[in-house]
Amino acid sequence: MRKALSILARSVAIFVPVFLVATFVTFALRALSGLSPASLQLGESATPEAIAQIEHQWGLDRPFLTQYFDWFGDMLSGDLGKSWYNGADISRLLVEGAAISLSVAGLALVIGVVFGFGFGVLAALRRTTWVDRAITGFTTFISVMPSFVVGIVLVGVFAVGLGWFPSAGYAPADRGVGVWLAHITLPAIALSFDTVSDVARQLRAGLVAAYRENYVTGAVVRGLSPRRVFFRHVLRNGVGPALAVLGLKFPNLLGGAVVTEAIFGMPGFGQFAANSAQRGDVPAVQGVLVVSIVLVVVFNLLVNLVLARVAPASARGV
């Protein structure tokens, strides 16, 4: 427990400054972009007086730091402001979109972990054999396949051709787990290929390196069974790189949702971000970035805690 608290405190000490800097840069986007709600509400023919009135209504005529601290305080209470485009509550819109995107990204992560760990373990156990070479070739092949190409192929084969899955749209879990899974399975598979590949290759490399360590040789010499050697010595000390790469893959899954949601017609987090950026809806874009930062920071914090528990060497910075 003490070690976990130490790792948690160390991670928070790193992530809090990162979060503060990231939110400040995020808020500064409006000043840097030069965009204004008046351009959305009044068009290009707006008079300077009308623009000044609109900006006063939104509080944009106040000093920059005053605006930032007010926005930061509201953000901590869960209020991300109103959309310049339609005045809708951004927090509510983000919750609706995030539920869709996190469903897809979560399932993609599960697929990546299950198949990535399966391929990585099998390749390490059968290292230098045709099985190892086949898995290495397969993971290399899927790593270079763009998610939008995979998505189009999946729709054409499994949705349009075979009719096993819906080709577009989203159904929430309260309409039935089966219906929900049917709508997110193909997008999740399209997003998972890169995660499967990287996890498998990193795990294979970590396990092969662990097998070469002296403590593993000593365990074999002492007569321990291959199963015990693998689970007690090899896996625990070789899994670190694969777990670490998961922390890097989660932001990629959220980013990849923009293209995947467009292919599958899902009104998720990525589509909301893309539409807001195209409209110049700065508060909405700021809200997307803040939520993304929080999700990435929390996920990496969890990965660090798991690493400290499963691979103790990582907690010592080894």
Side-chain angles (χ1 to χ4, degrees):
M1 177 62 71
R2 182 177 299 177
K3 181 184 295 186
L5 291 176
S6 174
I7 296 297
L8 179 62
R10 188 190 311 170
S11 299
V12 170
I14 295 173
F15 289 141
V16 166
V18 171
F19 177 74
L20 293 175
V21 171
T23 55
F24 182 83
V25 173
T26 297
F27 184 79
L29 281 176
R30 193 203 70 81
L32 295 174
S33 67
L35 296 173
S36 168
S39 61
L40 289 178
Q41 299 177 18
L42 303 177
E44 297 180 357
S45 60
T47 63
E49 294 78 12
I51 293 176
Q53 182 179 359
I54 292 294
E55 292 190 345
H56 177 73
Q57 292 175 358
W58 286 89
L60 302 180
D61 54 351
R62 297 175 299 161
F64 174 80
L65 290 180
T66 302
Q67 295 182 52
Y68 170 71
F69 287 121
D70 287 347
W71 173 81
F72 189 81
D74 291 339
M75 179 198 65
L76 293 179
S77 65
D79 181 7
L80 294 174
K82 304 293 183 183
S83 168
W84 283 357
Y85 179 70
N86 54 17
D89 183 68
I90 294 174
S91 299
R92 180 182 60 81
L93 296 176
L94 286 175
V95 168
E96 294 173 355
I100 298 173
S101 295
L102 288 178
S103 297
V104 176
L107 182 57
L109 194 65
V110 170
I111 294 172
V113 169
V114 171
F115 285 92
F117 270 70
F119 287 142
V121 169
L122 184 58
L125 292 176
R126 299 290 185 266
R127 55 195 179 279
T128 72
T129 67
W130 69 269
V131 175
D132 182 19
R133 291 190 291 273
I135 291 175
T136 301
F138 174 72
T139 54
T140 301
F141 173 71
I142 65 175
S143 69
V144 300
M145 296 183 65
S147 59
F148 72 89
V149 174
V150 178
I152 292 172
V153 172
L154 291 176
V155 170
V157 175
F158 295 102
V160 178
L162 299 176
W164 292 354
F165 297 92
S167 59
Y170 175 79
D174 55 18
R175 289 180 52 186
V177 176
V179 177
W180 173 67
L181 284 174
H183 281 82
I184 67 173
T185 297
L186 293 185
I189 293 174
L191 275 178
S192 69
F193 274 29
D194 192 51
T195 303
V196 171
S197 173
D198 281 357
V199 169
R201 288 185 291 184
Q202 291 293 332
L203 183 60
R204 189 250 180 216
L207 295 180
V208 170
Y211 267 116
R212 295 171 181 162
E213 296 291 339
N214 292 334
Y215 56 79
V216 174
T217 303
V220 173
V221 170
R222 292 198 304 271
L224 298 181
S225 67
R227 180 186 182 92
R228 189 174 181 183
V229 169
F230 177 76
F231 284 104
R232 290 200 60 181
H233 299 282
V234 176
L235 182 60
R236 187 174 186 185
N237 291 281
V239 75
L243 291 177
V245 82
L246 287 178
L248 302 176
K249 284 300 164 187
F250 187 69
N252 293 343
L253 293 177
L254 289 178
V258 176
V259 176
T260 306
E261 288 169 5
I263 294 172
F264 290 92
M266 307 179 78
F269 193 74
Q271 279 297 97
F272 176 76
N275 293 335
S276 299
Q278 290 172 357
R279 295 169 183 154
D281 192 351
V282 175
V285 174
Q286 290 173 336
V288 168
L289 292 176
V290 167
V291 173
S292 300
I293 292 166
V294 170
L295 290 175
V296 171
V297 166
V298 170
F299 186 80
N300 278 274
L301 178 60
L302 293 176
V303 169
N304 284 348
L305 291 175
V306 173
L307 271 171
R309 177 67 177 173
V310 177
S314 66
R316 303 191 301 267
V318 177

